[in-house]
Amino acid sequence: MPDVLDASPYDALLLLSFGGPEGPDDVVPFLENVTRGRGIPKERLKEVGQHYFLFGGVSPINDQNRALLDALRKDFAEHGLDLPVYWGNRNWAPYLTDTLRDMVRDGRRRILVLATSAYASYSGCRQYRENLADALAALETEGLELPRIDKLRHYFNHPGFVEPMVDGVVRSLAELPEEVRDGAHIAFCTHSIPTSAADTSGPVGEHGDGGAYVRQHLDVAQLIADAVRERTGVDHPWQLVYQSRSGAPLIPWLEPDICDHLEERHAAGVPAVVMAPIGFVSDHMEVLYDLDTEATAKAGELGLPVRRSATVGADPRFAAAVRDLVLERAGVERGQAVTPCALGTLGASHNLCPVGCCPARAPRPAAAGADSPYA
């Protein structure tokens, strides 16, 4: 039997994700949840939902979260970590508030949260914290005893997140025709966000051009590129590029867009491109449509060979990384000296989001941070 690992004072882990529709009838209601408060007409949402309808109205994200849940539970059990794992979403069933209510009724009082976003940004961190505060407020009105909630640190540079992506890029390079393989360019892809949100991402001391969001992605891209060079003996040129832009066209967003980048690389004589979606934990809709469908079609028009490398998904190394992060945070909470595991030049991220970190568009309570009303 494995040794028993100590997660105290925590008594549960919550996998917190975005959510997605699981059938055609879910698409518009799901998009209404995502865009609530923005006044977007239903007809416009039907147009936006065409990406989902191309895939039968089903986003892959929920099944991918189920696979990650299974991987986490399997890893915890095999390593003697007695910590139940729950799952809640921001925008679709199982909804976060419902899951937290179940956790409270199950007697959970100290909860760790794993968000399916590895990097610092408003939409990738603070908005999840705002959703947690909303859920706690709802439970408070129901007269339930509120649990204490902490969020695991950003894991963008944990080896268990980086190493599966290295393998994915190496495999994708090997899939390219031999005559173009060594000259292939690597396009490290992530979700575009407004430049104003990027510039204010991370703690206040990290604000500036691109903020923590861009710096963290660049650090991961360099880590992967260096590892690929060591594995293949080839120093492939690379660039951080963006995808999945939405919103008003007059608002500046991070660029270049992946499709524009493919055109530029083709014009420059690059013989092939590997698209590496380092900004995404799993192959959800932004990967399946924006890369596998739209960007791949653009490459086909150009006659440019492309491959898309895998995301981390439910890789056992990622599940092991989550276990490591849980034990790290538990040790910190118990007052022990802990050496966090992190690659690259930036070091381990903060455990507690400070005041001013990834500020909200408008003031809203956010849990699991230094400014939390639910300490």
Side-chain angles (χ1 to χ4, degrees), residues 283-320:
D283 290 1
H284 51 66
M285 189 57 69
E286 281 86 348
V287 176
L288 291 188
Y289 182 79
D290 295 335
L291 294 183
D292 292 357
T293 304
E294 191 174 48
T296 299
K298 171 58 71 176
E301 293 173 10
L302 298 169
L304 179 66
V306 294
R307 296 293 185 275
R308 195 269 291 174
S309 66
T311 52
V312 172
D315 189 291
R317 288 168 292 184
F318 182 47

Side-chain angles (χ1 to χ4, degrees), residues 154-309:
H154 302 302
Y155 46 84
F156 63 93
N157 56 2
H158 194 287
F161 185 68
V162 174
E163 289 167 2
M165 293 190 291
V166 173
D167 288 350
V169 172
V170 171
R171 282 194 300 268
S172 293
L173 286 166
E175 292 169 359
L176 287 168
E178 187 175 357
E179 63 272 17
V180 300
R181 188 178 303 150
D182 286 353
H185 171 90
I186 305 173
F188 291 107
C189 307
T190 191
H191 207 300
S192 185
I193 61 175
T195 57
S196 58
D199 294 345
T200 56
S201 57
V204 173
E206 298 177 32
H207 292 180
D209 188 15
Y213 185 76
V214 171
R215 280 193 287 277
Q216 290 171 0
H217 280 87
L218 287 173
D219 206 45
V220 171
Q222 187 67 65
L223 282 167
I224 296 172
D226 289 346
V228 169
R229 183 183 64 249
E230 293 174 5
R231 293 264 295 272
T232 66
V234 179
D235 191 8
H236 291 274
W238 62 269
Q239 186 172 340
L240 180 63
V241 301
Y242 303 93
Q243 62 177 89
S244 312
R245 179 195 164 121
S246 61
L250 296 178
I251 298 175
W253 284 54
L254 293 173
E255 296 177 334
D257 176 78
I258 178 61
C259 290
D260 295 338
H261 181 67
L262 293 175
E263 289 184 338
E264 188 272 334
R265 290 292 81 204
H266 178 257
V270 167
V273 173
V274 168
M275 301 181 292
I278 63 172
F280 304 92
V281 172
S282 63
D283 290 1
H284 51 66
M285 189 57 69
E286 281 86 348
V287 176
L288 291 188
Y289 182 79
D290 295 335
L291 294 183
D292 292 357
T293 304
E294 191 174 48
T296 299
K298 171 58 71 176
E301 293 173 10
L302 298 169
L304 179 66
V306 294
R307 296 293 185 275
R308 195 269 291 174
S309 66

Side-chain angles (χ1 to χ4, degrees), residues 5-11 81 83 326-327 329-331 333-334:
L5 300 179
D6 188 5
S8 63
Y10 298 106
D11 55 20
L81 179 57
L83 191 71
V326 167
L327 295 174
R329 183 61 182 272
E333 291 298 306
R334 294 195 301 269

Side-chain angles (χ1 to χ4, degrees), residues 14 16 90 96-97 100 113 125-141 146-147 149 151 363-369 371-375:
L14 168 62
L16 177 55
R90 286 169 49 179
L96 169 59
T97 301
L100 272 183
V113 173
C125 183
R126 185 178 177 91
Q127 192 169 14
Y128 281 106
R129 294 175 48 226
E130 291 175 354
N131 297 143
L132 285 165
D134 291 343
L136 289 170
L139 298 189
E140 191 171 32
T141 64
L146 299 187
I149 295 179
K151 180 177 174 291
R364 282 184 60 190
D371 56 354
S372 171
Y374 300 102

